[in-house]
Amino acid sequence: MDTTAVVGTRLDYFVILLYFVLIFSFGFIFARFTRSTKDFFFGGQRFSWWLITFSCVASVVGSYSFVKYSAAGFRYGMSSSMTYLNDWIVMGFLLLGWLPILYFGRIGSVPDYFKKRFDGRTAVMATIIVLLYMVGYIGINLYTMGIALNAMLGTNIFLSAVVVAVVCAVYVTIGGQTSVIMTDLAQGIILLIGGFLLFFLGLHVLGGWEAFWSGLPILHRLPFAKFNEPHEFHFVGIFWQDGIANTFALYMMNQGFILRFLSLKSVKEIKKTFLSLVLVLMPLAAFAVSNAGWLGRAMVSQGVLPPDVDAHQIFVRVANTVCQPGLFGFVMAALTAALMSTIDTLINAVSAVAVNDVYKPYVAPNASDKHHLRVARIVSFSAALMGIALVPVFASFKSIYVAHGSFTASITPPMVVTIVLGVYWKKFTSSAAFWTLFGGTVMVVLSIAWPVLITPFSHGVDPSGGFKYMRALFGLAASGIIAVLVSYLTKTKSAKAIEGLVVGTLDKAKEKYKGAPANEVEGKKVAVLLNVSEEIEELSVSQKIAQLMSAKKGDIVYVSDARRWLGGLRSVHARISAIHEEDTLEVWITPALAKQGNLVVDRKHRIEKII
Amino acid sequence: MGLLSLVYQFLIGGVIFAAGVLFAWSSRDYSWKKREDRLTLIFMIAGFFLYCVFQTLWHFCALGKI
């Protein structure tokens, strides 16, 4: 690998340092909102869609994204964006199936779902797979950050990874999910601005859009790669590995995203978040992470960059070519933002699975929440260390894209099949789920030893590449066949036992969530005066407010500070315990709930019915 | 050039997308009468067509046919 350092100026280092200070400050400021494991993992389930959408973009875009997609963009053109532009395929499964079931079922993780939907042994296997998947993701992100810093500063790849991992681990350990969300909001904005800034500066250097467009070969301008060649980057492989297996895995089994969706105030907000993410921000992110590669190709055509420039370093080389001192530092800060926002999410997620699915149920079920919070913080730091240990493993692959693709294609298909069938197929049995995970993983491992197994699914892809991407389709098919066969040979759980856990029983999930039948009559949000009283059970609203919200006693409502820009940081869910007769717009709440939601009594508030 | 990839994306991808929507919508969980359900469905289908139109136009634009 080329280790030529492209060294920035002092101003660039100052900008990067400023960025680190900003992120640390964010992390520490919002750490005070974390008092319990619910806050540490779920951020108190209080946030608005716009805040989570930006933080999700920051989590999707890892530092490997800038390096990997710029390299792909440089080699293969605009088709490098196709990975980010196919998340729409899973919208139905996510928005109408998986996410409402998770939220209303108060399910905190995939292993938790498997324990309820199937059995303990399937949950244990899921725990192992999910942890492997996420720790692996931490490792690949740290590795690519090491490459970027190596290119920029000439520092050792492993040492760079260690420094960044420790910085992330510190603020996640202190602040938990709230710190992660708030820092990721800032980082999401920084990385999008950084990506777009780079493109406009690049156009300026090249002499405008026409010069850029004409500098790209025809194949580099197309939105999709060639169908089945070359074996390193072809459409059909990316479609199945990235578009299907990896996208399902990202939103369904990546605990970081599950926690992010569960930190929203309602299912309605989850839908807004996912739609705005897939339809608006992902296309923007695709452009932001890839355009350095496209610019690089046009620059090579025009002689601005040498033809033998290393694709892995194209992002840094283009940034260094087009940016003035200071701006280069900002773009590098964007790259760092992409890394840290992904790592922090994953560190928090690993901690959630380890504590909620392993430590709490099997090691210390009777310990206090304070004790579990302490363990969560220790695990967070340990997860970062495990990611560091994986850096040399990923460094042994020739291409980051291949390393990442091989990793996800091997580990995700059995899990994706088990989750999708678990949610959508009532006849899918517990034994079938276990054997799908076990047998599917075995089949994928066998296909690594004997790639010939994948040939029937190869779509004509050259076998000399070992079918790294097509392994995902093989894994999905093999897992699907095992799932169906074993389901027909084993006993299905009773309909009662899976109520609220499968599509078609969402009303039961809502009923369990609320503790009573759901009230889904549409109501209004109401601006209210908030009062605190110890004499009420939970929350009391006036008759007038109840009418405006179409709410009844027992309904769950959401009280929030009226300042929308807070994104729900000062808010709380509560159950209406009484409706008073007065014709005013006053709400009474217990001091404990006011404290839990960080509500400030003399401020304007809003109330809305959730269910 | 590259047309097969474009067709595969929206044909096979479209079938998987439609399966996710139809399986859930045909259950009793969702109803056209509920505003939230209705809007979710409209946005999802509109999103699919937007992607389809956008990437098709991009494809032909890249080939200089538009």
Side-chain angles (χ1 to χ4, degrees):
Chain A
M1 177 160 299
D2 182 3
T3 53
T4 308
V6 182
V7 184
T9 64
R10 283 186 180 177
L11 183 59
D12 294 319
Y13 297 139
F14 176 73
V15 171
I16 294 171
L17 186 69
L18 198 69
Y19 158 77
F20 271 100
V21 171
L22 175 81
I23 293 306
F24 252 129
S25 309
F26 255 65
F28 281 104
I29 288 168
F30 294 104
R32 65 197 166 96
F33 289 91
T34 297
R35 299 190 189 100
S36 65
T37 49
K38 189 183 173 191
D39 293 333
F40 192 81
F41 296 129
F42 303 108
Q45 290 198 319
R46 54 165 73 108
F47 294 107
S48 298
W49 67 273
W50 59 268
L51 202 154
I52 300 300
T53 307
F54 270 97
S55 69
C56 277
V57 166
S59 298
V60 170
V61 178
S63 64
Y64 75 89
S65 307
F66 276 104
V67 179
K68 170 178 145 177
Y69 295 113
S70 291
F74 180 69
R75 286 185 183 129
Y76 309 108
M78 292 183 149
S79 57
S80 60
S81 64
M82 60 187 181
T83 304
Y84 278 28
L85 301 184
N86 52 22
D87 288 5
W88 56 266
I89 296 173
V90 306
M91 276 195 301
F93 287 99
L94 265 288
L95 290 185
L96 303 178
W98 178 237
L99 292 174
I101 284 173
L102 272 191
Y103 198 94
F104 288 125
R106 295 186 191 276
I107 291 160
S109 65
V110 170
D112 186 21
Y113 176 74
F114 280 9
K115 197 171 183 181
K116 290 172 179 161
R117 171 69 176 86
F118 306 119
D119 52 27
R121 65 175 180 164
T122 314
V124 169
M125 186 165 285
T127 305
I128 294 166
I129 294 175
V130 167
L131 285 175
L132 271 176
Y133 172 78
M134 289 189 301
V135 174
Y137 248 127
I138 295 175
I140 198 162
N141 270 280
L142 289 174
Y143 168 56
T144 50
M145 190 65 217
I147 289 180
L149 288 179
N150 170 266
M152 185 170 63
L153 306 171
T155 50
N156 178 278
I157 291 176
F158 188 74
L159 187 68
S160 307
V162 171
V163 170
V164 174
V166 170
V167 169
C168 271
V170 167
Y171 75 75
V172 175
T173 301
I174 294 168
Q177 185 68 251
T178 304
S179 284
V180 171
I181 288 170
M182 300 312 283
T183 51
D184 283 10
L185 169 70
Q187 301 191 104
I189 293 168
I190 288 172
L191 72 88
L192 285 177
I193 291 175
F196 275 80
L197 182 69
L198 190 67
F199 186 70
F200 290 116
L201 291 173
L203 281 191
H204 179 70
V205 167
L206 284 166
W209 174 264
E210 280 302 322
F212 162 71
W213 192 246
S214 61
L216 294 175
I218 296 283
L219 273 175
H220 275 61
R221 299 176 190 171
L222 291 168
F224 299 105
K226 282 185 175 177
F227 187 72
N228 54 12
E229 60 172 350
H231 65 75
E232 297 93 352
F233 189 88
H234 49 85
F235 167 80
V236 72
I238 307 288
F239 177 88
W240 285 105
Q241 182 263 318
D242 238 334
I244 304 298
N246 203 26
T247 304
F248 268 112
L250 182 74
Y251 295 118
M252 283 186 155
M253 68 177 264
N254 185 321
Q255 183 65 19
F257 280 86
I258 290 176
L259 292 179
R260 205 55 65 79
F261 288 125
L262 293 180
S263 70
L264 283 153
K265 69 179 186 188
S266 66
V267 169
K268 194 175 175 181
E269 296 291 292
I270 289 180
K271 290 174 180 170
K272 284 184 191 173
T273 298
F274 197 76
L275 285 168
S276 50
L277 181 68
V278 170
L279 303 181
V280 182
L281 286 182
M282 287 306 283
L284 297 182
F287 185 83
V289 299
S290 286
N291 73 70
W294 312 338
L295 287 169
R297 175 54 60 196
M299 285 176 178
V300 167
S301 298
Q302 292 201 4
V304 178
L305 286 176
D308 61 344
V309 62
D310 182 357
H312 270 131
Q313 296 197 0
I314 195 67
F315 178 81
V316 179
R317 292 295 297 269
V318 167
N320 195 46
T321 304
V322 305
C323 293
Q324 297 292 318
L327 284 177
F328 178 67
F330 182 78
V331 172
M332 286 302 111
L335 182 75
T336 317
L339 165 89
M340 291 180 48
S341 55
T342 305
I343 297 277
D344 60 13
T345 302
L346 291 166
I347 290 173
N348 186 256
V350 169
S351 178
V353 173
V355 171
N356 293 332
D357 299 310
V358 181
Y359 193 80
K360 264 188 193 176
Y362 300 112
V363 182
N366 300 319
S368 66
D369 192 64
K370 203 174 172 182
H371 172 82
H372 288 142
L373 184 58
R374 198 162 57 242
V375 173
R377 288 185 159 132
I378 294 168
V379 174
S380 294
F381 214 88
S382 308
L385 296 180
M386 284 188 279
I388 290 169
L390 282 177
V391 170
V393 177
F394 285 112
S396 67
F397 283 83
K398 281 184 183 170
S399 147
I400 296 169
Y401 209 101
V402 172
H404 189 218
S406 306
F407 170 66
T408 52
S410 302
I411 208 166
T412 53
M415 190 66 124
V416 167
V417 168
T418 309
I419 297 172
V420 170
L421 290 183
V423 170
Y424 272 83
W425 192 30
K426 290 177 185 171
K427 288 182 179 171
F428 189 40
T429 69
S430 303
S431 296
F434 177 80
W435 287 108
T436 301
L437 286 180
F438 185 77
T441 306
V442 168
M443 291 301 287
V444 170
V445 171
L446 286 177
S447 75
I448 295 171
W450 293 290
V452 69
L453 288 171
I454 304 172
T455 307
F457 304 90
S458 69
H459 285 66
V461 174
D462 178 6
S464 65
F467 297 129
K468 287 186 175 68
Y469 302 124
M470 298 316 295
R471 182 163 292 114
L473 177 56
F474 167 77
L476 290 170
S479 304
I481 290 167
I482 294 170
V484 173
L485 284 178
V486 181
S487 284
Y488 280 112
L489 294 172
T490 51
K491 199 179 168 197
T492 316
K493 269 190 169 182
S494 69
K496 184 86 181 162
I498 55 172
E499 271 182 354
L501 299 169
V502 291
V503 162
T505 63
L506 200 56
D507 54 337
K508 295 290 177 189
K510 290 175 183 173
E511 202 173 317
K512 282 180 191 168
Y513 176 80
K514 186 183 171 186
N519 173 3
E520 297 191 90
V521 180
E522 216 171 301
K524 291 178 180 169
K525 290 180 188 173
V526 186
V528 294
L529 280 172
L530 186 70
N531 302 297
V532 171
S533 169
E534 287 188 351
E535 291 169 15
I536 55 167
E537 201 180 317
E538 197 164 332
L539 179 123
S540 174
V541 298
S542 68
Q543 188 72 46
K544 189 176 179 181
I545 295 172
Q547 276 175 356
L548 286 167
M549 291 195 297
S550 302
K552 297 176 292 191
K553 192 177 167 185
D555 286 350
I556 294 174
V557 294
Y558 174 76
V559 184
S560 62
D561 192 297
R563 292 170 290 177
R564 287 178 197 271
W565 57 269
L566 283 173
L569 199 59
R570 295 187 182 279
S571 64
V572 72
H573 285 86
R575 193 180 300 275
I576 299 177
S577 54
I579 296 177
H580 50 261
E581 294 296 323
E582 293 92 341
D583 191 26
T584 61
L585 291 175
E586 284 187 272
V587 169
W588 297 84
I589 195 168
T590 61
L593 273 175
K595 188 182 174 193
Q596 187 189 326
N598 303 295
L599 302 177
V600 184
V601 173
D602 54 350
R603 286 262 177 199
K604 284 182 185 172
H605 284 79
R606 252 196 305 271
I607 187 168
E608 64 184 287
K609 183 188 69 194
I610 297 296
I611 190 165
Chain B
M1 191 190 287
L3 195 61
L4 182 56
S5 302
L6 178 75
V7 172
Y8 195 98
Q9 168 87 348
F10 291 103
L11 193 66
I12 305 298
V15 167
I16 298 168
F17 166 73
V21 173
L22 290 175
F23 285 146
W25 199 266
S26 61
S27 73
R28 58 187 176 140
D29 291 343
Y30 298 96
S31 161
W32 186 253
K33 288 175 186 168
K34 290 183 200 164
R35 187 171 177 269
E36 189 184 326
D37 294 353
R38 204 165 55 232
L39 284 177
T40 305
L41 187 68
I42 289 170
F43 273 107
M44 283 196 298
I45 293 172
F48 166 74
F49 280 108
L50 271 176
Y51 266 109
C52 188
V53 170
F54 170 67
Q55 289 189 299
T56 304
L57 286 174
W58 177 358
H59 176 86
F60 287 107
C61 197
L63 294 175
K65 292 183 179 175
I66 293 179

